[in-house]
Amino acid sequence: MKFFVDTADVAAIRELNDLGMVDGVTTNPSLILKSGRNILEVTKEICDMVSGPVSAEVVASEAKEMIAEGLHLAQIAPNIAVKVPLTWDGLTACKALASEGHKVNVTLCFSPAQALLAAKAGASFISPFIGRLDDIHLDGLDLIEDIRVIYDNYDYRTEILAASIRSVNHVIDCAKIGADVVTAPPAIIKAMANHVLTDKGLEQFNSDWAKTGQKIL
Ligand code: E4P
């Protein structure tokens, strides 16, 4: 499974990237706001650091403007994936940008029907938002399962990029279902290393080691 980091925080991306944990990055207007940085500058910095796809999102609502914004964002670096919303205009922009050879990530996907349209429009990635479905008491993981079945039935190459990840369990459940990619905040990727029995075991080993009176170095 590929790990994308869902942030525009350069320091946080660098820490994970140095450990080989980063296969790509996703950003959105809210994450750019949170970073306090200029979108073009911060995206360039991220693209220079990470070799995989870096999603940068358009903000226009009409296809023509989305395409113009997408082409501008795509000039930042060869590893840009232009992110467009799952609206009819977004699908139109997806088709146009993909036809010109650009990677497109279709975002804000909340139904299998939307995901099917994105695949037909040539999206490289579809971003179903699990957490936001859970927030309204629907099951985000059901959506990932449905898209996996549909894409496999017809051998669509569009990668399922599970987004709006809120927990370690979300990551593991997506991996079990077979999502191609998960994009998670840095804190969730780091939390995957935690286990209460690891902490307890380490405490015991440290205590017993102290009693031996030995040193390794
Ligand atoms: C994905 O590309 C989005 O940026 C992100 O996963 C949205 O997550 P949120 O619902 O926690 O804002």
Side-chain angles (χ1 to χ4, degrees):
M1 165 177 257
K2 285 183 253 186
F3 278 5
F4 286 7
V5 196
D6 198 26
T7 186
D9 178 336
V10 173
I13 296 167
R14 183 171 292 112
E15 183 188 2
L16 291 167
N17 194 47
D18 286 349
L19 280 180
M21 300 287 178
V22 178
D23 300 303
V25 174
T26 51
T27 65
N28 63 35
S30 306
L31 293 170
I32 295 295
L33 172 69
K34 200 171 165 192
S35 76
R37 302 277 311 273
N38 171 276
I39 182 171
L40 301 177
E41 288 171 13
V42 75
T43 306
K44 170 89 176 99
E45 212 175 308
I46 296 168
C47 286
D48 287 346
M49 183 194 334
V50 171
S51 54
V54 175
S55 291
E57 188 160 342
V58 302
V59 292
S61 51
E62 291 183 10
K64 196 172 160 209
E65 286 75 36
M66 283 186 198
I67 294 166
E69 288 180 356
L71 290 173
H72 192 63
L73 291 170
Q75 281 174 359
I76 296 173
N79 54 336
I80 284 285
V82 179
K83 212 172 175 190
V84 300
L86 214 155
T87 59
W88 200 254
D89 281 277
L91 292 169
T92 306
C94 173
K95 181 69 181 167
L97 291 163
S99 301
E100 287 190 31
H102 299 292
K103 283 185 284 294
V104 182
N105 174 359
V106 181
T107 189
L108 289 167
C109 171
F110 294 97
S111 78
Q114 290 180 315
L116 184 50
L117 290 176
K120 292 191 76 68
S124 297
F125 301 101
I126 182 69
S127 290
F129 277 36
I130 300 177
R132 294 192 195 187
L133 281 169
D134 290 356
D135 289 345
I136 59 163
H137 311 295
L138 294 173
D139 191 338
L141 292 168
D142 281 351
L143 175 58
I144 303 293
E145 267 175 356
D146 287 346
I147 301 172
R148 183 73 281 155
V149 169
I150 291 168
Y151 281 9
D152 288 351
N153 278 349
Y154 299 99
D155 206 21
Y156 285 119
R157 304 281 89 191
T158 303
E159 292 188 64
I160 302 173
L161 199 177
S164 189
I165 297 292
R166 301 279 162 77
S167 66
V168 170
N169 281 351
H170 268 165
V171 177
I172 299 311
D173 287 336
C174 286
K176 283 157 78 176
I177 291 167
D180 301 286
V181 191
V182 79
T183 187
I188 288 183
I189 295 176
K190 290 181 81 174
M192 291 174 74
N194 299 340
H195 199 288
V196 65
L197 291 180
T198 305
D199 296 341
K200 195 177 168 202
L202 202 50
E203 206 177 297
Q204 179 73 55
F205 288 156
N206 286 341
S207 150
D208 289 345
W209 181 247
K211 290 177 200 155
T212 69
Q214 298 179 41
K215 285 195 167 144
I216 293 177
L217 288 176

